[in-house]
Amino acid sequence: MPVNVWGYLREYEAEREEILAAVSDVLGSGKLILGPHVAAFEEEFAAYCGAKYGVGCDNGTNAVMLALLACGLAPGDEVVTVSNTAVPTVSAIASAGGAPRFVDIDPATYLMDTDRLEAAVTPRTRAVVAVHLFGQCVDMEAVRAVADRHGLAVIEDCAQSHGATQRGKVAGSLSDAAAFSFYPTKILGTYGDGGMVLTGREDVAAKLKKLRFYGMEKTYYALEQGYNSRLDEIHAAILRGKLKHLPDYIARRQALAARYDAALADTALTLPRTAAGNTHAYYLYVVRHPRRDAVMAGLKERGVNVNISYPWPIHTMTGYAHLGYKEGDLPHTEQAAKEIFSLPMYPSLADAEQDTAIAALRETLAALGDA
């Protein structure tokens, strides 16, 4: 049997009774949309992250978009972020009417190089989207310092960082608003799409609740332009149960990462680096090699499936050519995209399967003369 980069079936079997009981509770309640489970999950997840308010929405992309709009983004306003991210980050900025601007990454962590942030700010800049990539946080003190000097809103994209911490604070509590995805592959994932925005600001929370529901509050009267972007009651019920397991999910990911660290320390791979002040939740275990494609081919021959996050920097995609960037503008981002890949990483990955992946990786590197 192949070793896959991700899978959910074992986790589902282990939690099956709890999950199906949650679904049954919703279906028997008579309340399918914005019911008690959504309200409870908003409160419980916000409390877990150390935020005051949580507003559930339909997916992580719209969570970023709604967070920007709730923080006052207007059409044409610039938003600084990174090109080394999933397309949804930048798609959300564009959907909110913003104009994305990119800064390069720190080649050691693959996170935003905050030393380059201020140079990207112009008189049109209104916000920064800090992407907490692969399971750890951008240096938010540095981001906040630049934002405060220029009067910018700060949004955390936490789609890959559930439960990660920085200087003792949990991702999602370090900004004006923080966007989460609960897509199935995430550290905290449901069995479909789901998202949430966290904030400590009452005005932003109130705005978010209108924006996700057609611009309405309690009646069918639109107070402003809004959207259909609600978290489903069934997914909220499932996520409430899975939230109780989140510390265990993260602990298992960290244990798997420690096993990779020990087993691969003497290889030619560049292993993940945790930035100072961070705890890493290991949504992904990202390694680097200058002959990445050859390594991946060798692993595939040996029955180990891996992944690249992300093979094409967004500023090089034709869909974003109108932004005016060209290859060479973000050299660290572009070089990383040619060399990084992710090893199997999910809580129900068995030690024996991980050992198989490690052995295959070492065999492949030896065959390439890079042992």
Side-chain angles (χ1 to χ4, degrees):
M1 293 292 290
V3 178
N4 291 320
V5 73
W6 176 78
Y8 75 91
L9 290 175
R10 289 179 196 154
E11 182 178 285
Y12 171 67
E13 285 302 322
E15 300 173 14
R16 179 187 177 98
E17 290 186 12
E18 182 179 348
I19 291 164
L20 294 183
V23 172
S24 179
D25 182 67
V26 173
L27 294 179
S29 72
K31 185 68 174 179
L32 300 177
I33 304 294
L34 293 183
H37 284 289
V38 169
F41 180 58
E42 289 172 336
E43 182 177 335
E44 291 160 3
F45 188 65
Y48 173 87
C49 295
K52 192 169 184 180
Y53 304 103
V55 179
C57 59
D58 56 343
N59 56 64
T61 309
N62 283 343
V64 176
M65 180 189 75
L66 296 178
L68 286 164
L69 291 172
C71 287
L73 193 77
D77 287 347
E78 290 179 349
V79 179
V80 181
T81 192
V82 290
S83 182
N84 180 41
T85 184
V87 170
T89 303
V90 180
S91 175
I93 293 169
S95 295
R101 283 180 60 82
F102 298 119
V103 295
D104 211 349
I105 59 170
D106 178 340
T109 63
Y110 315 117
L111 301 170
M112 177 186 286
D113 184 345
T114 56
D115 289 339
R116 299 173 184 267
L117 175 57
E118 193 144 28
V121 176
T122 78
R124 292 177 53 204
T125 307
R126 295 292 179 270
V128 179
V129 175
V131 183
H132 298 331
L133 203 64
F134 304 152
Q136 66 170 326
C137 298
V138 177
D139 184 346
M140 293 304 292
E141 287 185 0
V143 171
R144 188 84 260 177
V146 173
D148 288 349
R149 281 195 292 274
H150 296 276
L152 310 178
V154 177
I155 311 299
E156 294 169 82
D157 182 341
C158 299
Q160 300 187 6
S161 63
H162 310 71
T165 69
Q166 184 168 94
R167 301 179 182 95
K169 294 185 177 180
V170 181
S173 65
L174 304 166
S175 58
D176 295 294
F180 285 84
S181 168
F182 302 117
Y183 187 73
T185 62
K186 303 305 182 186
I187 297 173
L188 179 62
T190 186
Y191 298 98
D193 273 314
M196 188 174 292
V197 183
L198 301 183
T199 183
R201 292 172 48 181
E202 186 177 5
D203 61 326
V204 171
K207 178 91 168 176
L208 286 164
K209 287 183 178 181
K210 289 196 291 285
L211 287 172
R212 74 171 176 188
F213 189 51
Y214 310 108
M216 303 174 187
E217 286 184 335
K218 296 181 179 179
T219 66
Y220 281 93
Y221 183 93
L223 298 166
E224 57 185 289
Q225 170 63 36
Y227 305 87
N228 179 6
S229 183
R230 299 165 299 204
L231 177 63
D232 286 339
E233 186 75 357
I234 285 178
H235 288 312
I238 292 169
L239 286 162
R240 291 186 70 195
K242 291 177 75 68
L243 179 59
K244 298 171 186 176
H245 300 292
L246 182 55
D248 293 333
Y249 297 158
I250 294 171
R252 176 58 179 164
R253 288 174 179 273
Q254 291 170 335
L256 289 167
R259 295 183 88 246
Y260 277 134
D261 288 345
L264 301 173
D266 63 339
T267 69
L269 295 169
T270 299
L271 303 184
R273 175 179 168 184
T274 302
N278 281 354
T279 61
H280 205 311
Y282 290 102
Y283 171 61
L284 301 176
Y285 188 90
V286 176
V287 298
R288 184 169 186 165
H289 192 279
R291 299 173 66 190
R292 186 264 313 279
D293 293 348
V295 175
M296 289 181 63
L299 288 171
K300 186 174 183 180
E301 289 174 1
R302 292 166 172 83
V304 176
N305 296 315
V306 296
N307 190 44
I308 306 172
S309 299
Y310 298 94
W312 303 284
I314 292 172
H315 72 284
T316 68
M317 297 180 182
T318 56
Y320 293 97
H322 63 282
L323 297 176
Y325 289 87
K326 61 184 184 303
E327 289 200 30
D329 285 345
L330 303 171
H332 292 307
T333 298
E334 293 164 26
Q335 192 61 35
K338 298 172 184 176
E339 298 180 354
I340 61 174
F341 62 103
S342 305
L343 301 182
M345 171 58 75
Y346 55 100
S348 55
L349 180 71
D351 285 358
E353 290 173 314
Q354 186 184 28
D355 291 341
T356 297
I358 290 167
L361 188 49
R362 295 186 68 94
E363 289 172 10
T364 298
L365 293 171
L368 294 172
D370 287 330

